[in-house]
Amino acid sequence: MQLAFRGGQNALPAKARSAFFVVRFFALLPFVFFGSAWAGVTCEPVGPLEPVSVYHVYDGDTLKLDDGRKLRLIGVNATEMGRDGRPDQPLAKAATRLVEEFVRHSGQVMISVDKQAKDRYGRTLAHVFNTRGESLEQQLLEQGLAYHVAVPPNLTQAECLASAEARARSAGLGLWSAARIAPVSASGIATGGFQRVQGKVTAIKLGKKSWRLELDNRLVAITYPEHWYRFDRNWYQSLQGRFIEVQGWVYRAGKENQKEWRMKVETQYGIEVK
């Protein structure tokens, strides 16, 4: 593997690249802990904190607060708990348990919103901390119990959370262990939803309305103009013929008789060159 961090080397700011290579050599952590064991590497609050009480933990990335708000953690995506007869995805229960324990040990938690306070479903988008200032998202990622997802404009913690995921990957923890969820081949995509997809870049199209990476002539990783500034154009073009992994939500789009599988790639964290 050429890069163990999502995003080509030329697409990452120098600060993010250096942070990754420093932390990738850390040793294996115990599976459950509270409080970061990584001295000097902490995703600290960067804005005002609101004290809240948690009424219910739905799963590893979604909570219900006492005041009725449904809260979605920023920067992470945990595997799904089984619903409507479907089984739990790997490590979904472990992620849920970690969140429950984090809340139980904290008593009252603190939340901090980023640039966008709500999603299209009306859920509150927030970072969650305990009263010691420790990040719930960081703990999920460091133990390999969630994937890092960088969704603009809520990118304040993106660099720190990406480093937390890199540590779990280096140690082979949780979702990054050999026995866990394998990436999907682009040529074999058959359903939507959050996925890690690997394939060869068979075409690159830099149009006026979008930039498109086609993987195995099957999946289109699409970047819209408002996000182009996050990518180096020459690096993007250099991906032709390369084997890459993209991560995000797969969906069907296009004209009715020409629908294609797509995935939005909005930051450098969504692409990994193999």
Side-chain angles (χ1 to χ4, degrees):
M1 182 170 68
Q2 180 182 0
L3 298 174
F5 193 91
R6 289 204 181 97
Q9 189 169 2
N10 293 332
L12 282 171
K15 184 179 179 182
R17 293 201 301 272
S18 61
F20 167 66
F21 288 111
V22 168
V23 301
R24 67 179 297 184
F25 297 108
F26 277 86
L28 182 68
L29 285 180
F31 186 69
V32 175
F33 65 95
F34 293 94
S36 177
W38 305 94
V41 183
T42 304
C43 299
E44 298 176 347
V46 293
L49 290 170
E50 175 191 355
V52 299
S53 295
V54 176
Y55 175 76
H56 178 66
V57 175
Y58 290 103
D59 53 31
D61 55 37
T62 310
L63 317 171
K64 185 175 183 179
L65 305 182
D66 272 355
D67 60 15
R69 283 180 290 174
K70 194 170 186 179
L71 184 149
R72 179 67 163 79
L73 297 179
I74 293 173
V76 300
N77 187 65
T79 48
E80 300 292 333
M81 296 288 286
R83 294 182 178 88
D84 301 323
R86 294 191 297 271
D88 298 336
Q89 291 184 340
L91 294 176
K93 284 185 178 178
T96 304
R97 285 197 300 269
L98 184 146
V99 176
E100 290 172 340
E101 287 297 297
F102 184 94
V103 171
R104 185 171 67 84
H105 283 274
S106 302
Q108 188 175 55
V109 299
M110 317 290 287
I111 66 173
S112 173
V113 298
D114 211 307
K115 293 184 178 180
Q116 180 181 334
K118 290 183 179 292
D119 66 10
R120 59 177 177 165
Y121 304 110
R123 298 178 298 186
T124 296
L125 300 173
H127 302 285
V128 174
F129 301 88
N130 60 24
T131 53
R132 296 184 296 278
E134 296 162 341
S135 165
L136 173 57
E137 297 101 282
Q138 180 179 357
Q139 293 190 11
L140 283 163
L141 291 168
E142 284 181 334
Q143 296 184 47
L145 296 180
Y147 297 107
H148 173 232
V149 289
V151 181
N154 291 342
L155 301 176
T156 302
Q157 297 273 345
E159 181 178 324
C160 183
L161 295 177
S163 295
E165 181 185 79
R167 294 191 284 276
R169 295 186 70 171
S170 179
L173 295 178
L175 293 164
W176 307 106
S177 67
R180 299 302 177 182
I181 302 175
V184 176
S185 169
S187 60
I189 287 179
T191 186
F194 184 87
Q195 297 174 66
R196 295 165 53 217
V197 182
Q198 294 184 347
K200 181 180 179 181
V201 178
T202 49
I204 296 177
K205 299 178 182 178
L206 303 180
K208 294 181 179 180
K209 295 183 178 180
S210 66
W211 289 3
R212 296 162 57 97
L213 295 174
E214 294 187 12
L215 276 65
D216 294 344
N217 298 310
R218 176 72 171 170
L219 172 74
V220 176
I222 191 165
T223 304
Y224 290 104
E226 61 267 30
H227 304 297
W228 289 348
Y229 73 94
R230 296 191 177 96
F231 298 88
D232 179 90
R233 186 185 182 97
N234 291 331
W235 174 84
Y236 197 95
Q237 290 178 308
S238 75
L239 297 177
Q240 178 68 49
R242 305 290 296 276
F243 188 75
I244 70 172
E245 177 179 309
V246 292
Q247 65 90 16
W249 284 267
V250 176
Y251 62 98
R252 293 278 279 177
K255 297 180 180 178
E256 190 59 37
N257 60 342
Q258 295 179 324
K259 287 191 179 295
E260 60 189 6
W261 291 109
R262 291 182 183 174
M263 177 190 293
K264 292 180 182 178
V265 176
E266 299 173 330
T267 75
Q268 70 271 20
Y269 301 104
I271 301 176
E272 177 182 337
V273 181
K274 294 296 186 178

